[in-house]
Amino acid sequence: MANLKEKLIGQLETSQDKSSHNKITVVGVGAVGMACAISVLMKDLADELALVDVMEDKLKGEMMDLQHGSLFLHTAKIVSGKDYCVSAGSKLVVVTAGARQQEGESRLNLVQRNVNIFKHIIPDIVKYSPDCILLIVSNPVDILTYVAWKLSGLPMHRVIGSGCNLDSARFRYLMGERLGIHSSSCHGWVIGEHGDSSVPVWSGMNVAGVNLKELHPEIGTDKDKENWKKVHRDVVDSAYEVIKLKGYTSWAIGMSVADMAETLMKNLRRVHPVSTMVKNFYGITNEVFLSLPSVLDNHGISNVVKMTLKSDEEAKLQQSATTLWDIQKDLKF
């Protein structure tokens, strides 16, 4: 006796491949991971979204909550699991999992705790998705991107840190607020380390090709009466401010990750300031990951744009590299 489904649907006499072709996995279903997940879903970037976490109840709840919105989405399959087999065959894996810094904890200690977490995460990701692109979001992102590269055995062009993509977005937003122009028409780059020692490229700021430093030579300096330096200071402080107000940051980083994911999944070859191996760029001699303008495609990072930096900008970039290396060299894998 045929059941309702069998009465409704006829089968063709052919074998059909039911595997996903544009699968994205998000590791970690905290505030950042779920902001990444919903942002990816709203951009219709995947035919399957997988969520992975060790907190099974929260994981199942988040999955069900997204599944119940399937009518309003165009992603055919949303799955979750504690076991990384659920991530198998992913094109892109976004890693947001990691320990948070505790009060009084040194940066090195936090990094070492996250290295220990990554030792369990990264090999399992690569085991089930050997051809994936890894997008690292966990902080401190530049060092953990280096760690993920070392642990994964993947070529460096397929291990990317979210880096200064968000810092640059914040910079362009604040630039636009000052000028009364939408941020998409305000061009400016923040490079180097994601966080306190990031480097604003004052010499490259422009609107419609008009270089702001040529109009206002003091921009970004201590002599600047308009105090544009505050724009970068606000970029650095903004995460701390949001955390103080709501306890964490989530939405902007989620949208930033989806922006990069769109470039990667659709092979758009757009330029993003993301964390990549910078050895042999700008006189940097150590194996560190920092943000430089990078061309992203469906293989990962295809090229790095060689920005023309002023001597002080280059010096700050080198200082960032030295700071990171001083922490990296003492890590135990």
Side-chain angles (χ1 to χ4, degrees), residues 202 212-229:
W202 300 110
L212 302 196
K213 195 163 180 70
E214 289 178 12
L215 293 182
H216 183 51
E218 270 94 45
I219 195 166
T221 68
D222 292 330
K223 297 175 185 174
D224 179 14
K225 289 176 183 171
E226 295 183 26
N227 194 19
W228 276 85
K229 239 181 159 174

Side-chain angles (χ1 to χ4, degrees), residues 118-189:
F118 268 41
K119 277 183 190 173
H120 298 289
I121 292 174
I122 303 299
D124 277 347
I125 292 171
V126 177
K127 175 183 174 184
Y128 289 104
S129 300
D131 299 320
C132 75
I133 296 167
L134 274 178
L135 179 54
I136 308 301
V137 184
S138 314
N139 277 316
V141 68
D142 301 294
I143 294 175
L144 290 180
T145 306
Y146 165 82
V147 169
W149 171 57
K150 285 291 190 185
L151 291 173
S152 68
L154 295 178
M156 65 180 72
H157 69 273
R158 279 169 46 204
V159 184
I160 305 167
S162 57
C164 289
N165 201 60
L166 178 54
D167 307 62
S168 295
R170 287 170 170 155
F171 188 80
R172 292 171 68 176
Y173 164 72
L174 294 168
M175 183 180 166
E177 287 293 287
R178 281 205 178 198
L179 298 173
I181 298 171
H182 192 271
S183 54
S184 63
S185 295
C186 295
H187 302 285
W189 294 83

